[in-house]
Amino acid sequence: MMRTSNHLIGLLNFVTFLLSIPILGGGIWLSSRANNTDCLKFLQWPLIVIGAAIMVVSLAGFAGACYRNTFLMWVYLFVMFFVIAALIGFIIFAYAVTDKGSGRSLTNKGYKDYYLQDYSGWLKDRVADNGYWRKIASCVRDSKACQKIGRSVNGVPETADMFFSRKLNSIQSGCCKPPTECGYSYVNETVWTTGAGFSGTSTDCTLWSNDQQQLCYSCNSCRAGLLASIRKSWRKVSVVNIVVLIILVIFYVIGCAAFRNNRRIDNDEPYGEARMTKSHPSAFQL
């Protein structure tokens, strides 16, 4: 029975170690997004720390099961409880700060427009701060997202109708072109003129510039596009985290039961038999 329990705990810890990989991978993926497009470089660290903690703790539990070290197994269960609590907290936080906001569909357009007022909460306040936004805007500019938006067909630049049918990502739509409501006329993907159709009253309409170093990086639509990109990234990672969390909780409960069984055997407690059974001598005993 002891050997079976140790094998079970060892197996659970090994699987837990494997489950830490997608969590850590999700944090690293968010980190790569932060360096390239999302540009918020602190959000991924809690997930990386949680994934690394699960990996280290599961290795300790695995060693404890293999070498029948009760202390290591106890440490594994104790620390894993707080790691699971931290993962739950991170998932709740991720959904809370990305709860609201999405792009607005446009008539006869393949892309959407993004508005900062559609978002709310801590993350929106963060990017709305001009001092903080300057650093983010510089990162978005350096990511060259707008330089990559250009297309040509057989060496000929795409027409306005071709551009309007494209499914731009949120940063391309929010930062690389003026909002549709402004009524700018298309010249190419990142050059627009006021023309006769200019009708916008939004402050973003006056912030737009054909200067390729400016474009709409100072616009609220760019801020909203960034928030939409972050929301999409976090929701993808959160789905994986929720699945891993459910499995971790199940394994933790099984691990606790197996650990108690080991303790019972260590204390010479009969399994399935009351302790006081032999406190009453048999009537046939001399």
Side-chain angles (χ1 to χ4, degrees):
M1 179 69 71
M2 170 67 78
R3 182 171 297 179
T4 301
S5 295
N6 283 336
H7 287 170
L8 176 60
I9 294 177
L11 177 62
L12 292 178
N13 279 280
F14 178 72
V15 176
T16 301
F17 172 82
L18 296 179
L19 290 175
S20 69
I21 295 176
I23 295 178
L24 190 60
I28 294 173
W29 181 73
L30 285 177
S31 179
S32 68
R33 295 276 300 178
N35 291 330
N36 296 323
T37 54
D38 290 348
C39 292
L40 288 179
K41 300 182 179 181
F42 63 92
L43 299 174
Q44 74 278 4
W45 287 112
L47 199 57
I48 291 176
V49 171
I50 291 172
I54 294 175
M55 186 173 289
V56 172
V57 172
S58 61
L59 287 175
F62 183 76
C66 290
Y67 294 100
R68 197 172 169 270
N69 188 313
T70 303
F71 175 75
L72 283 178
M73 292 161 59
W74 181 86
V75 169
Y76 159 76
L77 292 173
F78 180 79
V79 177
M80 186 58 72
F81 173 82
F82 292 100
V83 171
I84 290 175
L87 183 58
I88 293 173
F90 179 83
I91 291 173
I92 294 174
F93 173 76
Y95 271 92
V97 300
T98 60
D99 178 47
K100 294 181 180 180
S102 60
R104 299 185 187 179
S105 298
L106 302 166
T107 304
N108 299 323
K109 299 290 190 298
Y111 52 78
K112 298 179 179 180
D113 272 358
Y114 296 84
Y115 294 84
L116 190 60
Q117 60 265 33
D118 292 344
Y119 296 82
S120 63
W122 172 82
L123 200 57
K124 180 250 188 179
D125 295 338
R126 186 86 172 177
V127 301
D129 180 80
N130 288 328
Y132 192 73
W133 176 252
R134 280 193 291 269
K135 299 178 182 179
I136 301 176
S138 177
C139 172
V140 174
R141 186 184 300 110
D142 292 342
S143 72
K144 303 185 185 305
C146 294
Q147 294 181 19
K148 300 173 184 176
I149 200 174
R151 282 185 182 178
S152 60
V153 180
N154 297 324
V156 178
E158 65 179 349
T159 64
D161 289 339
M162 294 171 63
F163 176 78
F164 294 150
S165 65
R166 287 176 58 180
K167 295 184 180 297
L168 304 177
N169 64 45
S170 59
I171 290 180
Q172 289 174 335
S173 179
C175 305
C176 306
K177 67 170 187 58
T180 303
E181 66 173 315
C182 298
Y184 277 85
S185 299
Y186 174 90
V187 177
N188 65 39
E189 293 87 353
T190 56
V191 176
W192 300 69
T193 59
T194 54
F198 184 82
S199 59
T201 58
S202 169
T203 56
D204 284 357
C205 298
T206 58
L207 289 173
W208 166 261
S209 171
N210 286 325
D211 182 344
Q212 298 299 295
Q213 293 300 311
Q214 298 297 324
L215 298 180
C216 220
Y217 293 128
S218 298
C219 299
N220 284 333
S221 64
C222 190
R223 292 174 166 89
L226 179 79
L227 289 173
S229 180
I230 293 172
R231 185 177 188 272
K232 184 178 180 180
S233 299
W234 277 34
R235 288 303 171 94
K236 287 181 179 179
V237 172
S238 292
V239 169
V240 176
N241 288 343
I242 290 173
V243 174
V244 172
L245 174 64
I246 294 172
I247 299 174
L248 282 179
V249 171
I250 294 173
F251 282 4
Y252 182 80
V253 172
I254 296 173
C256 287
F259 178 72
R260 284 197 299 269
N261 184 56
N262 276 1
R263 291 291 298 274
R264 184 185 297 113
I265 296 174
D266 285 341
N267 296 331
D268 295 324
E269 298 176 17
Y271 183 79
E273 183 178 358
R275 294 186 182 185
M276 299 301 295
T277 301
K278 297 189 177 182
S279 61
H280 302 288
S282 172
F284 298 98
Q285 184 176 356
L286 296 177

